[in-house]
Amino acid sequence: MENFRLDPWGHIYIEEYEKLFKYFGLSPTKDLLKRIESIGGKSRLYSRGIVFAHRDLDKFLDVIERGGKAALVTGFMPSGPFHFGHKMVADQIIYFQKMGARAFIAMADAEAYAVRRIPRKKILENAKIYVANLIALGVRPERATFYMQTNYEPAYYRLMQMASSKVTISELKAIYGDVEPGKIIAVFTQVADILHPMLDEFGRYEAVVVPVGPDQDPHIRLTRDIAERLRSDVPGLSKPASTYHKLMRGLDGGEKMSSSRPESYISLNEPIETAISKLMNAYTGGRATAEEQRRLGGIPEKCMVYELYLYHLADDDMLREIYEKCKGGKILCGEDKKIAAKLLREFLEEHQRKFNEIYKVVEDYISLPRY
Ligand code: TRP
């Protein structure tokens, strides 16, 4: 398969989403669109192809439809600011909760410490910020379990240890390349994140779905294999389903939003004026001169402002209108950015107000370790 390998800790940009279907056996979500929307209602996540692929989502939906216990699992590395890339996952949590699933949301502090080398104090601070952002965005805490990977229940750690006995070092090398102990422990921690809702101790959920970016697929494939191998020892385990969303590019035109480049992302917690100035400087699909733009039209497919509309800020009517105006050369980037800035300002004002309220009581929702 040429040189196509997914690296969960790398910074590759998956340009050729099609390859994922071909090489890794993912299925397109568009074939399930009607069924998804008949259960969960209309959502831009699916109608706009933001969540573009899945494994076994149809089986997960079977369980939802017959009223079985269904759970969603996801995790966040609390290693930097909470930005619009993270909001995309929040939107998916909210959508699956609406379908009736319970959410298990890991703060991947073990991983942030091992892989990103973030100081513990910073990780704990960030974890509170992440949880408060998720709730402020609409994740329903009464239908969610938020937990720190290093501060959870014994059965979760038992599962992690049992999982580690079902894998060989050469398998790990084949999947991850290097096998540093910290990383490998983070891998098994994530396996336990994904499978633990199926244990009796956590409610014996029949089906689990994991919404991730395609870079996380190596973890998913390994977890699915481990679920099979553990089945005789751990009753109730089955292969988790997964969904894959497109990764947002950097506002600066970089391949991926990254916390290491502040111009590449807008944090949901940064001062609104800073956020707006990042937007005003964002990379667009504009032409070299206004005259050219009027004559040839802009290229929304390349434009980060358009990507913000598409993933977050615009409803369907507005999206269509902007797209057509841009393509037709009827609107220039400066003018368009002002429209986006207004939407961004409204969104952030409302969000930050909610966030501040929730942050005051966030420790009611997550139990932090002492260090
Ligand atoms: N590894 C994920 C990341 O890099 C975070 C994560 C931890 C996760 N546990 C998970 C994702 C369980 C999905 C499911 O961001």
Side-chain angles (χ1 to χ4, degrees):
M1 62 170 96
E2 295 151 52
N3 268 332
F4 195 67
R5 176 159 135 192
L6 294 169
D7 176 1
W9 295 294
H11 288 279
I12 37 137
Y13 171 54
I14 294 122
E15 211 165 55
E16 292 156 275
Y17 286 108
E18 290 301 315
K19 284 192 178 167
L20 296 167
F21 298 121
K22 205 164 111 203
Y23 294 144
F24 295 121
L26 303 187
S27 312
T29 43
K30 64 176 184 311
D31 301 346
L32 283 178
L33 182 61
K34 279 216 177 82
R35 193 167 169 216
I36 294 169
E37 293 195 332
S38 81
I39 302 172
K42 211 174 145 27
S43 164
R44 64 168 183 265
L45 292 170
Y46 295 94
S47 64
R48 297 182 188 174
I50 299 169
V51 177
F52 68 98
H54 73 94
R55 270 205 177 91
D56 287 349
L57 183 60
D58 42 343
K59 291 188 190 154
F60 179 85
L61 297 177
D62 289 343
V63 172
I64 292 262
E65 280 190 316
R66 64 174 158 71
K69 287 184 84 173
L72 157 159
V73 171
T74 192
F76 295 89
M77 254 205 267
S79 60
F82 189 98
H83 56 59
F84 273 96
H86 299 113
K87 175 176 175 289
M88 229 150 70
V89 181
D91 290 341
Q92 295 177 71
I93 301 173
I94 294 162
Y95 192 68
F96 281 120
Q97 281 188 324
K98 215 170 115 197
M99 282 187 173
R102 181 170 186 88
F104 289 84
I105 304 171
M107 289 299 127
D109 65 322
E111 187 178 358
Y113 184 75
V115 179
R116 297 275 166 83
R117 310 274 162 178
I118 314 281
R120 291 291 309 171
K121 209 165 160 246
K122 188 78 201 152
I123 292 175
L124 299 185
E125 252 169 52
N126 282 341
K128 288 196 284 178
I129 293 174
Y130 274 51
V131 171
N133 272 302
L134 292 169
I135 297 173
L137 286 170
V139 170
R140 308 243 322 248
E142 69 283 9
R143 287 196 195 171
T145 301
F146 296 98
Y147 65 93
M148 304 289 292
Q149 285 179 327
T150 63
N151 200 34
Y152 205 25
E153 308 286 327
Y156 165 86
Y157 299 102
R158 185 182 311 124
L159 181 59
M160 196 173 134
Q161 287 166 346
M162 290 174 73
S164 72
S165 323
K166 296 291 175 185
V167 180
T168 65
I169 199 92
S170 43
E171 259 183 294
L172 293 175
K173 279 187 184 147
I175 302 171
Y176 298 106
D178 87 66
V179 286
E180 251 177 77
K183 274 193 185 175
I184 294 313
I185 288 188
V187 167
F188 289 108
T189 309
Q190 183 155 345
V191 171
D193 288 331
I194 297 173
L195 297 179
H196 82 277
M198 297 176 195
L199 303 180
D200 282 346
E201 287 87 344
F202 297 96
R204 195 152 183 160
Y205 286 80
E206 273 178 75
V208 162
V209 68
V210 194
V212 288
D215 58 311
Q216 295 292 305
D217 193 50
H219 298 315
I220 303 284
R221 276 178 282 144
L222 178 67
T223 306
R224 286 166 59 88
D225 287 344
I226 292 177
E228 289 273 275
R229 297 175 199 173
L230 275 178
R231 188 134 59 186
S232 57
D233 292 335
V234 186
L237 285 192
S238 63
K239 288 187 172 182
S242 48
T243 63
Y244 302 84
H245 56 259
K246 295 193 172 163
L247 300 173
M248 274 191 92
R249 291 174 297 152
L251 279 182
D252 54 356
E255 290 178 337
K256 196 177 157 184
M257 269 196 184
S258 160
S259 10
S260 57
R261 295 194 323 279
E263 351 47 82
S264 79
Y265 63 80
I266 292 176
S267 159
L268 269 54
N269 307 107
E270 69 187 308
I272 295 180
E273 297 317 319
T274 321
I276 296 216
S277 90
K278 287 183 186 177
L279 172 75
M280 297 314 274
N281 289 317
Y283 176 83
T284 70
R287 306 283 177 179
T289 66
E291 183 280 320
E292 254 187 51
Q293 177 122 351
R294 289 204 182 86
R295 186 158 46 84
L296 302 170
I299 313 170
E301 293 79 3
K302 272 193 175 174
C303 175
M304 280 312 298
V305 182
Y306 186 73
E307 198 158 306
L308 268 179
Y309 286 125
L310 179 72
Y311 288 11
H312 299 286
L313 295 176
D315 62 25
D316 286 357
D317 289 340
M318 174 161 193
L319 191 70
R320 194 173 316 110
E321 193 189 321
I322 298 265
Y323 185 86
E324 281 165 8
K325 276 192 181 162
C326 172
K327 275 262 180 216
K330 303 224 159 42
I331 187 170
L332 301 183
C333 298
E335 192 186 334
D336 178 54
K337 280 177 167 171
K338 282 192 196 139
I339 301 173
K342 182 165 176 286
L343 293 177
L344 180 64
R345 179 185 298 281
E346 284 165 8
F347 170 79
L348 288 178
E349 275 171 2
E350 169 82 2
H351 176 75
Q352 293 183 359
R353 195 179 47 70
K354 289 185 195 155
F355 172 88
N356 290 336
E357 284 309 302
I358 294 156
Y359 188 76
K360 288 182 203 154
V361 295
V362 70
E363 287 189 60
D364 294 352
Y365 301 110
I366 181 133
S367 160
L368 297 176
R370 205 160 45 75
Y371 60 89

